Amino acid sequence: MSSQLSPASGFERLRRIESSKVFQGAVITIIILSALTIGAKTYDLPPLVEKSLIVMDNAITLFFLVEILFRFGVCANKKRFLFDGWNLFDTLVVIGSLIPLDNSEAVLLGRLLRVFRVLRLVSVVPELRFLINSLLKAIPRMGYIALLMFIIFYIYAAMGSMFFASVDEELWGDVAIAMLTLFRVATFEDWTDVMYATMEQYPLSWIFYLTFIFLTAFVFLNMMIGAILEVMGEEQNAKQAQKAHDERDEIARQLQAVQVQLAELTKQVSEKR
């Protein structure tokens, strides 16, 4: 009986190791070390240091390969391992990191994927995964807000091109250039210089700028933030509901196990009598 249970117990032990804080901390440490290595390569370094960084980079790549294989090995449902978006992302980054950097045709792709290894920090830390998932789910709602912003930008750009092209052709020459100028105004990049230039010919043009800033910088920006916060609240509520459901299931399993034990004890007592 013990020999039959040992594989299952060994598998559970490996799963506990994979989900332990020590293992996760080691992975986070290696990811940070990988980020520092990538940053160090952008500087002019002595040849010895460069060779050491190459050896370190190869060791980090090997660690990530072993780590992803270990996670695949302890996955309960291996057929659905890559159906998880974060697992698929980690696998692609690890496979891409295996591209040799001495291959001139693939050197750019290999370096780019090594840079993306830093993003694995998002997949390892649950709080960062929560933020990214919330942001991705908020994109459809933000898309409608962005469409409305584009309409406002286009209307104001057309108006600005009609009225202010004679003031400054480089800033208001056509709709496309005017939209870039309005983006500069919306981000408050020396927007007062643009406004004062048009006010010399059109004294009331400040109304144009203030209404545009009010709509874009205050109304639409707060709408974007509100959409993200709403999705984050929904995700947090769903997460808490799932946690409560799992806790209820665990309590039910424990109660069932206690009932089975009581039934066995009752049976043993009745047999002794």
Side-chain angles (χ1 to χ4, degrees):
M1 179 66 78
S2 61
S3 61
Q4 295 177 353
L5 293 177
S6 57
S9 61
F11 180 78
E12 289 297 327
R13 191 178 300 111
L14 291 176
R15 290 199 65 181
R16 286 196 297 269
I17 293 174
E18 190 269 339
S19 60
S20 65
K21 292 184 178 181
V22 175
F23 181 80
Q24 299 298 328
V27 174
I28 292 174
T29 302
I30 297 299
I31 293 174
I32 295 175
L33 182 62
S34 174
L36 295 176
T37 303
I38 294 171
K41 289 182 179 179
T42 61
Y43 294 93
D44 293 330
L45 300 172
L48 180 61
V49 177
E50 289 185 355
K51 292 181 180 179
S52 301
L53 289 177
I54 293 175
V55 173
M56 186 180 299
D57 182 79
N58 293 332
I60 291 172
T61 302
L62 180 61
F63 174 85
F64 285 147
L65 178 61
V66 173
E67 183 255 342
I68 201 70
L69 292 175
F70 177 72
R71 283 172 50 192
F72 177 77
V74 301
C75 181
N77 190 356
K78 294 180 175 56
K79 293 182 179 180
R80 300 193 61 84
F81 179 77
L82 293 179
F83 283 87
D84 185 287
W86 293 112
N87 290 338
L88 178 61
F89 172 77
D90 291 344
T91 303
L92 292 177
V93 170
V94 171
I95 293 175
S97 299
L98 298 177
I99 298 176
L101 292 180
D102 54 355
N103 186 350
S104 59
E105 296 181 356
V107 62
L108 183 60
L109 179 61
R111 289 178 177 175
L112 183 62
L113 289 173
R114 278 168 169 77
V115 172
F116 275 104
R117 287 193 310 200
V118 181
L119 275 177
R120 290 205 57 209
L121 191 63
V122 177
S123 66
V124 174
V125 181
E127 289 76 10
L128 295 180
R129 287 203 307 266
F130 171 76
L131 292 177
I132 295 298
N133 289 333
S134 300
L135 180 61
L136 293 176
K137 291 185 177 181
I139 287 178
R141 305 183 188 184
M142 294 168 61
Y144 292 105
I145 302 174
L147 178 60
L148 184 57
M149 284 185 64
F150 174 80
I151 295 173
I152 298 299
F153 263 82
Y154 189 85
I155 292 174
Y156 272 82
M159 293 170 56
S161 180
M162 282 188 248
F163 289 105
F164 306 143
S166 59
V167 177
D168 193 334
E169 186 73 19
E170 293 183 358
L171 296 179
W172 304 101
D174 53 48
V175 172
I177 296 176
M179 290 183 72
L180 290 176
T181 303
L182 289 175
F183 184 80
R184 170 182 171 182
V185 173
T187 55
F188 302 107
E189 178 62 29
D190 293 333
W191 70 277
T192 53
D193 296 339
V194 180
M195 181 181 68
Y196 291 144
T198 58
M199 285 180 64
E200 292 179 0
Q201 186 170 344
Y202 299 96
L204 295 179
S205 62
W206 59 270
I207 300 176
F208 173 88
Y209 295 98
L210 292 186
T211 54
F212 176 77
I213 290 175
F214 177 79
L215 288 174
T216 56
F218 299 128
V219 176
F220 291 121
L221 180 59
N222 287 327
M223 290 173 66
M224 287 280 191
I225 297 174
I228 297 174
L229 292 178
E230 183 180 359
V231 173
M232 289 181 63
E234 293 174 356
E235 287 294 302
Q236 186 67 29
N237 293 336
K239 184 178 179 181
Q240 292 177 353
Q242 183 63 37
K243 183 178 179 180
H245 183 269
D246 295 340
E247 290 177 353
R248 287 196 299 267
D249 290 344
E250 182 64 25
I251 293 174
R253 284 194 295 267
Q254 293 177 357
L255 289 175
Q256 187 177 5
V258 171
Q259 290 175 355
V260 171
Q261 292 178 358
L262 289 175
E264 290 178 355
L265 289 174
T266 305
K267 183 178 179 181
Q268 292 175 2
V269 171
S270 61
E271 288 177 353
K272 289 181 180 181
R273 290 180 178 177

